[in-house]
Amino acid sequence: MLQLLNMGPATFRHGVHPPELKEETCGLPIRQFPFAPVLTIPLSQHIGKPAVPVVREGQEVQRGQRLAKPDGFLSVSMHAPASGVVRRIGLMPSITGRMVTGIYLEPFPGSTQEVAEGIPCPLDTATPDEIITAIQDAGLVGLGGAGFPTHAKLKLRDDQSIDTLIINGVECEPYLTTDHRVMLEQRDDIYVGIRYLMKVTGARRVIIGIEANKPDAAEHLRAGLPGDLPAEVQVLRVKYPQGAEKMLITAMLGREVPSGKLPIDVHALCCNVATTAEIGRLLPHGRGIQERVITITGPAVQKKGNYRIPIGTPLRFLLDYVGVDPHVNRIFMGGPMMGTAASSLDLAITKGISGVTAFTDAETSFHQRPEHPCIRCGYCVEACPIFLNPSTLGRLAKHENYDRMADEFNLMDCFECGSCSFVCPSHIPLVHYFRVAKSSVRKARAAAP
Amino acid sequence: MSTLSKTLQLRTSPHILSGYAVDSIMFNVVLALLPATLFGMYVFGLAGTLTIVVATLSCVLSEHLICVSQKRRSTIGDWSAAVTGLLYGLTLPPSLPLWMVAFGGFVCIGLGKAIFGGLGSNPFNPALVGRAILQAAFPVPMTTWMPAFAENRFSWLPPSTLAWPFTEPVYDGFTSATPLSLQKFDQVATDAGQLALGMVSGSTGETSAILLLLGGVYLVARNMMNWRIPVSIFVVVFAFSGLLHLADAGAYPSPLFMLVSGGLVLGAVFMATDMVSAPMTGTGCLLYGALIGAIVVVIRVWGGMPEGVAYAILLGNAVAPHIDRYVRPTVYGTGRRRGAAT
């Protein structure tokens, strides 16, 4: 295998090395974030159909109580992040720029915020199908950012099998340290989560992948491993975008996920370490996810840190609480490589958001630099983790030659990691072109008979 | 929130960049060329210095004037015209009449670059386009060399340097032969050590292989040059000429001589690696370098001219887009390793 030629820890080929910038928050323990006066909870925080509300306006709810139920298999529940009263069910802004339906919940100021208990899903006696239903009922989605319902990727067809379960503790995105803190503080939850996942998938082997810049987390998880858990910790070389499922599978197992297929097609399953920890934390009590850990960071933030924050906390309240530089000019949901710029302060923290990063003019001044023509330097070709030619694709995109991009140059394999834009010395917004091109191709294909 | 004083900017990710920039890459190429340039100025005195200065200025000025005439913002700030001019100057014989130098500089930018659409669109290395046209138009001045380390080089100019435009320059009594022409036409070998240090006559900036390599190492260390291209050229030139030398040591020069003589190092390190006109993939660069190396040996050994690096690179440039078309990396998940459980 190729990895034998490389000395040192395993990794995938190509990729980039952005500055890590994690040292400011990686040592800060997770703290509880207070409740906002009004929580705004979109009904669609996952890929698939929005959840269907099971509460009505004016109803009083307890923290942890189910607010909405899944609509079909590719959908998950929503739970009340706080005890309070449902003020309104209506439209609210979402990260995509569209207005979506959601629940406005007003927490009771004096409440003890006791969490409602549900029906436990005991590890020893539950069947795989019961665990899958319990995960769906708990409202779990990939907490790494994809927002794909976790239970949906655990459901195997009869002809599918999983031999290796990969727990993704890579966290290759600059600035973010939530997974790092979760690994340090929720070790036992992670082990319990792994047991649930092994039972569902039948995987015999578990590998926890952690990049070499988190040696304390790797050591901590290794030291506490129960003797009967067939899991190991693998340290990976630091490189972006190693946290992407396909890259991680290649780095750790040397397998390539075929174009257009899923990890399951190479008998592997990836689960984010925070998602695993939530499975281990919630299922034994039958609870649903109503809060998550995020990193609030960036040069414009005053009280940087890792917080366990109620789902639905509006950005406005969040920024007021941590304090931001008045010169802040850009706020992203997520980290700087793949995060989405916030268009409104009324956006809420949803399940898939692992951080909030705020920049001032000083960090964004480079965007004022002029765009040059492509000089065919090939940096993007060396960076692309799936071996596309972003330079050629970019040239075609400028002529809106989207069909040729998709048919001849594998456009649809691009997963928008942004490595090409990151290295481009001509400052061509390559990945932006590809997003536009991909959505155009998708629309055209959907419209085709 | 009341404290926000600015409008939030909406941009798509990534929100940080690596810091590479076209102008800084080009500027670093100029930096990397400085040792060899200064050495050339020292070896060839006033004439060499004037050649380089006029070459660079004529390219930069041409770029500026062409931009102005097209009512576009001047692009001389990206340093690419300066790189072209400097490289072009380094390939010229130091005693070349200055009006020819200036004319060739205009050709570099005008015919080599601007008519194709400017930076990034030129299929050929602009500096070599200018040089090739001079070579075709003025064969005698382009192959007449002044000696290195002339006694009075800092106070005296060869009469050809200041020749009036469109007159035949006069070369009397000061010419010297390059090691390659000595080898080719007179079967006189020059010591490779002298060549590597640059103690011989030749083009203004091509003589010191060591200083040129130093610049190349700097660029490779800063990840601003694809090392595969020069390495592949050197390996092929050495292997090919080595085989010939083994077959008949009397007729063919030694491979070491081939490596350090003439414009090979300058061409391989700084000209063939011009990003715009070279292939983009690693394998493509190896092939491209091999092709250039082979053509160099063929021209030098069997061609009518003692030197062929410039033409070899221009031919390589012509092939580069085709290399990029056919040598493509296998896209992730589509190759032989697809799905293979190991």
Side-chain angles (χ1 to χ4, degrees):
Chain A
M1 281 315 311
L2 278 161
Q3 275 130 40
L4 291 179
L5 299 173
N6 297 328
M7 292 305 173
T11 188
F12 61 101
R13 289 169 67 207
H14 288 187
V16 294
H17 293 96
E20 296 168 28
L21 305 164
K22 293 172 187 277
E23 56 290 329
E24 279 187 298
T25 54
C26 69
L28 302 176
I30 301 168
R31 284 173 285 171
Q32 186 67 40
F33 207 84
F35 293 101
V38 176
L39 298 168
T40 52
I41 307 145
L43 289 170
S44 182
Q45 304 185 18
H46 50 263
I47 290 167
K49 284 189 164 179
V52 183
V54 293
V55 292
R56 54 190 159 68
E57 289 181 0
Q59 184 177 338
E60 289 185 7
V61 294
Q62 193 189 349
R63 186 179 179 200
Q65 182 183 334
R66 189 146 89 157
L67 293 179
K69 62 175 189 197
D71 181 9
F73 183 68
L74 202 62
S75 181
V76 296
S77 300
M78 296 294 158
H79 297 81
S83 299
V85 58
V86 176
R87 276 284 167 240
R88 195 154 73 81
I89 299 177
L91 291 178
M92 52 182 57
S94 79
I95 190 83
T96 60
R98 265 181 235 119
M99 297 296 275
V100 296
T101 307
I103 295 172
Y104 288 83
L105 179 73
E106 192 181 313
F108 294 133
S111 163
T112 54
Q113 298 294 353
E114 203 99 6
V115 183
E117 292 285 325
I119 304 154
C121 173
L123 177 63
D124 301 328
T125 54
T127 64
D129 278 341
E130 284 169 355
I131 297 175
I132 288 177
T133 310
I135 291 175
Q136 183 179 21
D137 284 341
L140 280 167
V141 301
L143 298 184
F148 192 78
T150 304
H151 71 277
K153 57 181 187 182
L154 297 174
K155 183 85 182 167
L156 305 186
R157 289 198 314 265
D158 285 342
D159 58 336
Q160 290 174 322
S161 70
I162 288 170
D163 58 27
T164 312
L165 180 64
I166 293 176
I167 305 299
N168 185 349
V170 170
E171 199 161 50
C172 58
E173 182 73 52
Y175 281 111
L176 303 188
T177 55
T178 61
D179 290 349
H180 190 172
R181 291 314 304 180
V182 166
M183 288 189 280
L184 288 176
E185 298 181 35
Q186 287 184 257
R187 177 166 80 178
D188 294 327
D189 291 338
I190 293 171
Y191 298 147
V192 175
I194 289 174
R195 289 182 199 274
Y196 275 107
L197 288 171
M198 286 180 71
K199 189 153 186 188
V200 178
T201 60
R204 294 278 180 73
R205 182 172 168 225
V206 182
I207 317 178
I208 305 170
I210 300 172
E211 278 192 348
N213 57 3
K214 297 179 268 290
D216 50 341
E219 193 38 53
H220 186 70
L221 282 182
R222 205 175 265 152
L225 268 183
D228 62 329
L229 197 65
E232 57 191 290
V233 175
Q234 188 178 352
V235 175
L236 302 156
R237 212 182 315 168
V238 180
K239 197 156 70 169
Y240 178 89
Q242 195 145 242
E245 266 185 352
K246 291 183 174 182
M247 300 306 110
L248 189 59
I249 288 173
T250 304
M252 295 177 72
L253 304 178
R255 303 176 192 172
E256 251 182 43
V257 181
S259 167
K261 296 290 174 92
L262 295 170
I264 211 164
D265 294 298
V266 292
H267 311 290
L269 186 93
C270 287
C271 192
N272 173 270
V273 74
T275 315
T276 312
E278 285 306 292
I279 292 173
R281 195 170 74 97
L282 299 174
L283 260 56
H285 304 282
R287 288 179 186 163
I289 179 165
Q290 24 82 15
E291 55 189 9
R292 67 153 299 153
V293 181
I294 68 168
T295 306
I296 304 175
T297 183
V301 174
Q302 276 145 17
K303 277 191 281 177
K304 301 178 179 71
N306 291 295
Y307 298 92
R308 186 172 290 283
I309 192 165
I311 302 291
T313 303
L315 206 47
R316 190 183 303 276
F317 177 80
L318 179 154
L319 294 174
D320 259 344
Y321 180 77
V322 296
V324 286
D325 190 299
H327 295 291
V328 65
N329 70 359
R330 206 178 309 174
I331 298 166
F332 341 115
M333 305 301 237
M337 287 302 285
M338 282 187 94
T340 311
S343 54
S344 157
L345 294 182
D346 295 322
L347 290 178
I349 296 299
T350 55
K351 294 172 187 173
I353 289 170
S354 46
V356 172
T357 317
F359 277 6
T360 65
D361 291 333
E363 290 77 36
T364 52
S365 57
F366 64 84
H367 276 303
Q368 267 73 47
R369 302 198 59 181
E371 182 181 328
H372 288 284
C374 171
I375 57 166
R376 298 167 40 86
C377 61
Y379 287 2
C380 54
V381 177
E382 292 280 302
C384 181
I386 42 176
F387 293 73
L388 302 179
N389 186 332
S391 163
T392 307
L393 283 168
R395 210 168 284 219
L396 290 171
K398 285 199 175 176
H399 297 104
E400 301 188 13
N401 205 339
Y402 298 149
D403 291 334
R404 194 154 168 237
M405 290 168 74
D407 298 338
E408 274 181 59
F409 294 94
N410 302 68
L411 169 72
M412 303 314 275
D413 284 317
C414 169
F415 65 93
E416 301 166 23
C417 67
S419 298
C420 50
S421 301
F422 175 76
V423 294
C424 181
S426 295
H427 304 130
I428 301 171
L430 292 163
V431 74
H432 182 76
Y433 289 153
F434 304 157
R435 285 193 190 102
V436 174
K438 282 172 70 179
S439 94
S440 165
V441 170
R442 259 191 235 110
K443 268 185 207 147
R445 285 184 181 173
Chain B
M1 192 172 56
S2 51
T3 52
L4 271 192
S5 62
K6 311 190 75 121
T7 315
L8 285 182
Q9 283 182 11
L10 271 181
R11 275 178 189 273
T12 54
S13 62
H15 305 282
I16 50 176
L17 297 182
S18 61
Y20 287 120
V22 168
D23 44 3
S24 87
I25 293 176
M26 296 294 172
F27 178 71
N28 274 287
V29 175
V30 172
L31 278 188
L33 280 167
L34 273 188
T37 306
L38 294 175
F39 183 75
M41 289 175 169
Y42 172 69
V43 173
F44 298 108
L46 212 48
T49 308
L50 277 176
T51 305
I52 292 175
V53 169
V54 171
T56 311
L57 282 182
S58 64
C59 282
V60 173
L61 196 66
S62 302
E63 172 111 347
H64 183 73
L65 291 178
I66 288 170
C67 286
V68 169
S69 74
Q70 293 175 330
K71 300 196 169 53
R72 288 190 294 132
R73 209 172 47 84
S74 175
T75 49
I76 58 172
D78 65 21
W79 286 86
S80 67
V83 169
T84 299
L86 188 52
L87 280 172
Y88 161 69
L90 296 179
T91 64
L92 297 177
S95 55
L96 192 71
L98 292 179
W99 74 268
M100 293 183 188
V101 175
F103 167 73
F106 178 75
V107 170
C108 285
I109 299 296
L111 291 184
K113 186 168 147 190
I115 62 165
F116 294 107
L119 178 66
S121 303
N122 47 297
F124 299 104
N125 186 324
L128 291 178
V129 172
R131 191 199 139 86
I133 286 191
L134 285 190
Q135 181 118 40
F138 312 112
V140 175
M142 284 297 285
T143 48
T144 307
W145 314 88
M146 67 180 279
F149 299 105
E151 276 294 307
N152 51 355
R153 61 187 188 278
F154 293 112
S155 56
W156 165 87
L157 277 173
S160 58
T161 297
L162 295 176
W164 283 98
F166 310 111
T167 61
E168 197 67 23
V170 193
Y171 293 97
D172 269 340
F174 68 89
T175 59
S176 164
T178 65
L180 271 172
S181 56
L182 282 175
Q183 166 76 36
K184 184 157 192 125
F185 303 123
D186 307 316
Q187 277 79 46
V188 177
T190 309
D191 177 44
Q194 292 286 311
L195 282 169
L197 290 173
M199 302 304 182
V200 294
S201 75
S203 292
T204 318
E206 72 178 18
T207 54
S208 174
I210 288 179
L211 291 177
L212 289 166
L213 284 176
L214 194 73
V217 168
Y218 168 76
L219 285 181
V220 169
R222 305 232 22 204
N223 192 20
M224 289 175 177
M225 173 189 292
N226 195 326
W227 56 268
R228 294 177 187 87
I229 296 172
V231 167
S232 163
I233 293 177
F234 292 144
V235 167
V236 169
V237 166
F238 189 84
F240 191 4
S241 59
L243 281 177
L244 293 174
H245 186 68
L246 279 183
D248 185 351
Y252 303 112
S254 83
L256 205 60
F257 172 80
M258 288 292 258
L259 276 191
V260 290
S261 61
L264 185 70
V265 177
L266 176 63
V269 175
F270 287 100
M271 304 274 204
T273 53
D274 168 42
M275 290 167 167
V276 178
S277 50
M280 277 191 286
T281 60
T283 320
C285 285
L286 289 176
L287 277 175
Y288 165 83
L291 179 74
I292 292 174
I295 300 174
V296 166
V297 177
V298 169
I299 295 182
R300 279 187 179 180
V301 171
W302 293 291
M305 297 174 294
E307 177 59 305
V309 171
Y311 289 112
I313 294 173
L314 286 171
L315 279 169
N317 289 164
V319 176
H322 302 279
I323 295 181
D324 269 341
R325 175 168 307 177
Y326 293 107
V327 181
R328 287 200 219 158
T330 310
V331 172
Y332 180 95
T334 64
R336 265 169 291 125
R337 292 203 302 151
R338 148 202 328 227
T342 43

